[in-house]
């Protein structure tokens, strides 16, 4: 069955990811699957009540989401194995895989940055990284299911509207436009009924302190850059006529300009080339920077 998969581990980050994934599943009209993965069948015992903490996380999260989202099909699975490999394997057939971007898990802590990055490079479907709206919960604080279950329906819907009211933002390289990335970004904007903000940053030749030459170069080169971006986006505008597009061509570093443009976004979309170097699979520097510095949810889309 079509579904959204989310990794949980009892941290504030994974709770935020689970809540975001539930809203996404409702939006897509698909089921939600919660996955808790650990290197061993039982987490290490750190105290008298530690033995059942993984099950508590799963059942508590599932119960909270079923209460907060009536009618949403929720399945919860506790699995054994290397977390990144487990999540990549279980992602087969999922429309999205959702992770907390900085887990400090009370159970195993498997959503640490290194594991999240490993999951990204091992997973074929798009992976969305979600940060909590507030600071992480202290490690010694008792686990509490996602806050959605404790909110009145009207308040929850107001909050959801506020969180999803921004545009979808996508980084575009006009020299090497990625069809899967653009297709996903336009599709997400159409699904949400929001604007798409397409960002292509570029650099000017160095002119030292000659401000006049710099201004002339900017005026002469920008029209060509704008035209190139428009040409790349034209097929997707025709394919998704309902999506209103803002085309941005700022001058400056790619990572910095994309993070700046992503402020207040409902979702930021970046690409990951499917390739393996002698050091193993990895994400590019722009995607790496956006993942670490963007507060909005970030979708990483694999492409050739």
């Amino acid at each position: 069955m079509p579904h959204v998969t989310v990794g949980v581990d009892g941290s504030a980050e994974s709770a935020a990811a689970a809540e975001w994934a539930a809203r996404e599943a409702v939006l897509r009209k698909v089921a939600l699957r919660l996955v808790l993965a650990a290197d061993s069948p039982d987490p290490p015992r750190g105290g008298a009540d530690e033995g059942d903490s993984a099950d508590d996380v799963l059942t508590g999260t599932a119960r909270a989401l079923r209460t907060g989202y009536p009618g949403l099909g929720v399945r919860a699975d506790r699995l054994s194995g290397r977390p990144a490999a487990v999540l990549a394997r279980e992602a087969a057939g999922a429309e999205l895989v959702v992770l907390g971007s900085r887990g400090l898990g009370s159970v195993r802590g498997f959503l640490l940055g290194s594991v999240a990055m490993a999951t990204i490079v091992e997973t074929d479907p798009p992976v969305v990284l979600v940060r909590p709206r507030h600071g992480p919960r202290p490690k010694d604080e008792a686990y509490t299911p996602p806050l959605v279950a404790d909110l009145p329906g009207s308040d929850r819907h107001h909050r959801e509207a506020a969180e999803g009211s921004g545009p979808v933002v996508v980084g575009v390289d006009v020299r090497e436009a990625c069809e899967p990335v653009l297709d996903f970004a336009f599709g997400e904007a159409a699904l949400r009924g929001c604007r798409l903000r397409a960002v292509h940053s570029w650099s000017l030749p160095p002119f030292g302190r000659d401000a006049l030459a710099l201004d002339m170069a900017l005026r002469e080169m920008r029209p060509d850059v704008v035209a190139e971006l428009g040409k790349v986006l034209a097929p997707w505008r025709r394919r998704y006529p309902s999506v209103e597009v803002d085309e941005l061509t700022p001058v400056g570093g790619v990572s910095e300009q994309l993070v700046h443009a992503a402020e207040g976004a409902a979702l930021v979309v970046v690409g990951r080339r499917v390739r393996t170097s002698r050091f193993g699979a990895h994400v590019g520097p722009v995607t790496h920077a956006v993942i670490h510095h963007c507060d909005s949810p970030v979708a990483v889309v694999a492409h050739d």
Side-chain angles (χ1 to χ4, degrees):
M1 293 180 59
H3 63 280
V4 172
T5 292
V6 57
V8 297
D9 72 344
S11 68
E13 288 79 8
S14 74
E19 196 172 342
W20 190 92
R23 293 197 301 271
E24 194 69 15
V26 170
L27 181 65
R28 294 168 176 268
K29 299 181 180 180
V30 300
L32 177 66
R33 187 180 183 202
L34 309 177
V35 175
L36 190 151
D39 292 323
S40 59
D42 295 307
R45 294 179 179 271
D49 299 325
E50 189 71 16
D52 295 328
S53 57
D55 291 331
D56 291 342
V57 167
L58 277 176
T59 58
T61 302
R63 184 186 308 113
L65 294 176
R66 291 188 183 106
T67 300
Y69 300 89
L72 173 64
V74 180
R75 172 181 171 181
D77 293 303
R78 178 180 170 183
L79 303 173
S80 177
R82 187 170 63 87
V86 169
L87 286 167
R89 183 187 70 229
E90 298 302 316
E95 295 190 6
L96 286 178
V97 178
V98 185
L99 300 175
S101 63
R102 288 181 55 204
L104 301 174
S106 61
V107 177
R108 290 285 293 179
F110 78 85
L111 294 184
L112 293 171
S114 59
V115 176
M117 295 299 288
T119 302
I120 290 172
V121 300
E122 294 183 29
T123 303
D124 292 330
V127 178
V128 180
L129 300 179
V130 179
R131 288 189 180 185
R133 289 291 173 176
H134 305 289
R137 169 176 53 84
K139 287 186 177 182
D140 57 353
E141 183 178 325
Y143 171 72
T144 302
L147 296 176
V148 64
D150 302 323
L151 294 175
S154 59
D155 292 342
R156 173 166 60 82
H157 291 306
H158 283 311
R159 184 169 60 120
E160 289 174 8
E163 290 181 353
S165 60
V168 170
V169 175
V170 60
V172 183
D173 184 348
V174 298
R175 297 176 299 277
E176 192 175 347
C178 303
E179 291 191 1
V181 176
L182 290 175
D183 190 35
F184 181 83
F186 270 85
E188 290 299 304
L191 183 65
R192 289 165 167 77
C194 68
R195 302 181 72 87
L196 177 70
R197 187 179 294 166
V199 183
H200 170 64
S201 61
W202 55 292
S203 300
L204 285 166
F207 288 97
R209 297 179 179 273
D210 192 337
L212 179 60
L214 184 65
D215 182 64
M216 290 180 60
L218 181 63
R219 285 188 281 109
E220 290 178 1
M221 297 175 65
R222 185 181 291 278
D224 291 336
V225 175
V226 172
E228 289 177 352
L229 179 59
K231 182 178 180 181
V232 168
L233 296 178
W236 305 102
R237 282 179 174 272
R238 291 192 292 268
R239 183 176 297 184
Y240 295 92
S242 66
V243 177
E244 297 184 23
V245 184
D246 298 322
E247 301 181 15
L248 305 183
T249 56
V251 175
V254 177
S255 303
E256 294 82 359
Q257 294 300 326
L258 187 54
V259 170
H260 177 70
E263 292 182 4
L267 184 67
V268 182
V269 183
V270 291
R272 173 185 70 83
R273 183 176 295 279
V274 180
R275 61 185 177 188
T276 303
S277 70
R278 59 177 179 168
F279 302 108
H282 62 283
V283 301
V286 173
T287 295
H288 190 275
V290 172
I291 288 172
H292 285 83
H293 297 288
C294 186
D295 290 332
S296 301
V298 177
V300 183
V301 180
H303 63 89
D304 294 329

